[in-house]
PDB file of all heavy atoms in Angstrom:
ATOM      1  N   GLY A 789      22.050   4.187 -29.568  1.00 96.00           N
ATOM      2  CA  GLY A 789      21.868   3.169 -28.539  1.00 96.00           C
ATOM      3  C   GLY A 789      23.178   2.813 -27.859  1.00 96.00           C
ATOM      4  O   GLY A 789      23.257   2.697 -26.628  1.00 96.00           O
ATOM      5  N   GLN A 790      24.237   2.645 -28.629  1.00 96.00           N
ATOM      6  CA  GLN A 790      25.529   2.306 -28.052  1.00 96.00           C
ATOM      7  C   GLN A 790      26.083   3.454 -27.210  1.00 96.00           C
ATOM      8  O   GLN A 790      26.679   3.228 -26.147  1.00 96.00           O
ATOM      9  CB  GLN A 790      26.522   1.958 -29.183  1.00 96.00           C
ATOM     10  CG  GLN A 790      27.749   1.212 -28.719  1.00 96.00           C
ATOM     11  CD  GLN A 790      27.408  -0.165 -28.176  1.00 96.00           C
ATOM     12  OE1 GLN A 790      26.455  -0.807 -28.598  1.00 96.00           O
ATOM     13  NE2 GLN A 790      28.185  -0.610 -27.194  1.00 96.00           N
ATOM     14  N   ALA A 791      25.875   4.685 -27.668  1.00 96.00           N
ATOM     15  CA  ALA A 791      26.343   5.842 -26.902  1.00 96.00           C
ATOM     16  C   ALA A 791      25.609   5.951 -25.564  1.00 96.00           C
ATOM     17  O   ALA A 791      26.194   6.321 -24.547  1.00 96.00           O
ATOM     18  CB  ALA A 791      26.161   7.125 -27.725  1.00 96.00           C
ATOM     19  N   VAL A 792      24.322   5.646 -25.556  1.00 96.00           N
ATOM     20  CA  VAL A 792      23.547   5.672 -24.306  1.00 96.00           C
ATOM     21  C   VAL A 792      24.087   4.615 -23.345  1.00 96.00           C
ATOM     22  O   VAL A 792      24.219   4.875 -22.138  1.00 96.00           O
ATOM     23  CB  VAL A 792      22.051   5.422 -24.599  1.00 96.00           C
ATOM     24  CG1 VAL A 792      21.303   5.108 -23.316  1.00 96.00           C
ATOM     25  CG2 VAL A 792      21.440   6.637 -25.271  1.00 96.00           C
ATOM     26  N   VAL A 793      24.420   3.434 -23.851  1.00 96.00           N
ATOM     27  CA  VAL A 793      24.972   2.387 -22.988  1.00 96.00           C
ATOM     28  C   VAL A 793      26.282   2.844 -22.370  1.00 96.00           C
ATOM     29  O   VAL A 793      26.521   2.642 -21.168  1.00 96.00           O
ATOM     30  CB  VAL A 793      25.189   1.090 -23.810  1.00 96.00           C
ATOM     31  CG1 VAL A 793      25.972   0.074 -22.998  1.00 96.00           C
ATOM     32  CG2 VAL A 793      23.842   0.494 -24.232  1.00 96.00           C
ATOM     33  N   ARG A 794      27.133   3.471 -23.165  1.00 95.00           N
ATOM     34  CA  ARG A 794      28.411   3.968 -22.614  1.00 95.00           C
ATOM     35  C   ARG A 794      28.179   5.052 -21.567  1.00 95.00           C
ATOM     36  O   ARG A 794      28.820   5.057 -20.506  1.00 95.00           O
ATOM     37  CB  ARG A 794      29.291   4.507 -23.734  1.00 95.00           C
ATOM     38  CG  ARG A 794      29.857   3.428 -24.662  1.00 95.00           C
ATOM     39  CD  ARG A 794      30.982   3.990 -25.507  1.00 95.00           C
ATOM     40  NE  ARG A 794      30.521   5.063 -26.371  1.00 95.00           N
ATOM     41  CZ  ARG A 794      30.081   4.892 -27.619  1.00 95.00           C
ATOM     42  NH1 ARG A 794      30.049   3.662 -28.133  1.00 95.00           N
ATOM     43  NH2 ARG A 794      29.683   5.905 -28.360  1.00 95.00           N
ATOM     44  N   LYS A 795      27.259   5.968 -21.842  1.00 95.00           N
ATOM     45  CA  LYS A 795      26.970   7.039 -20.884  1.00 95.00           C
ATOM     46  C   LYS A 795      26.385   6.461 -19.595  1.00 95.00           C
ATOM     47  O   LYS A 795      26.744   6.907 -18.500  1.00 95.00           O
ATOM     48  CB  LYS A 795      25.983   8.030 -21.513  1.00 95.00           C
ATOM     49  CG  LYS A 795      25.673   9.240 -20.639  1.00 95.00           C
ATOM     50  CD  LYS A 795      26.907  10.096 -20.431  1.00 95.00           C
ATOM     51  CE  LYS A 795      26.548  11.381 -19.698  1.00 95.00           C
ATOM     52  NZ  LYS A 795      27.750  12.215 -19.447  1.00 95.00           N
ATOM     53  N   ALA A 796      25.488   5.490 -19.725  1.00 94.00           N
ATOM     54  CA  ALA A 796      24.919   4.851 -18.527  1.00 94.00           C
ATOM     55  C   ALA A 796      26.003   4.180 -17.703  1.00 94.00           C
ATOM     56  O   ALA A 796      25.967   4.202 -16.468  1.00 94.00           O
ATOM     57  CB  ALA A 796      23.848   3.850 -18.937  1.00 94.00           C
ATOM     58  N   GLY A 797      26.986   3.582 -18.398  1.00 93.00           N
ATOM     59  CA  GLY A 797      28.099   2.976 -17.672  1.00 93.00           C
ATOM     60  C   GLY A 797      28.930   4.020 -16.937  1.00 93.00           C
ATOM     61  O   GLY A 797      29.348   3.797 -15.789  1.00 93.00           O
ATOM     62  N   ASP A 798      29.134   5.170 -17.567  1.00 94.00           N
ATOM     63  CA  ASP A 798      29.886   6.246 -16.905  1.00 94.00           C
ATOM     64  C   ASP A 798      29.150   6.750 -15.664  1.00 94.00           C
ATOM     65  O   ASP A 798      29.795   7.135 -14.675  1.00 94.00           O
ATOM     66  CB  ASP A 798      30.110   7.400 -17.881  1.00 94.00           C
ATOM     67  CG  ASP A 798      31.029   7.016 -19.040  1.00 94.00           C
ATOM     68  OD1 ASP A 798      31.773   6.020 -18.904  1.00 94.00           O
ATOM     69  OD2 ASP A 798      30.984   7.691 -20.081  1.00 94.00           O
ATOM     70  N   LEU A 799      27.814   6.777 -15.728  1.00 92.00           N
ATOM     71  CA  LEU A 799      27.017   7.269 -14.611  1.00 92.00           C
ATOM     72  C   LEU A 799      26.675   6.185 -13.596  1.00 92.00           C
ATOM     73  O   LEU A 799      25.952   6.440 -12.639  1.00 92.00           O
ATOM     74  CB  LEU A 799      25.709   7.888 -15.150  1.00 92.00           C
ATOM     75  CG  LEU A 799      25.864   9.132 -16.033  1.00 92.00           C
ATOM     76  CD1 LEU A 799      24.524   9.556 -16.595  1.00 92.00           C
ATOM     77  CD2 LEU A 799      26.490  10.271 -15.242  1.00 92.00           C
TER      78      LEU A 799
END
Side-chain angles (χ1 to χ4, degrees):
Q790 197 65 31
V792 166
V793 171
R794 289 195 298 269
K795 183 65 173 178
D798 294 340
L799 296 174

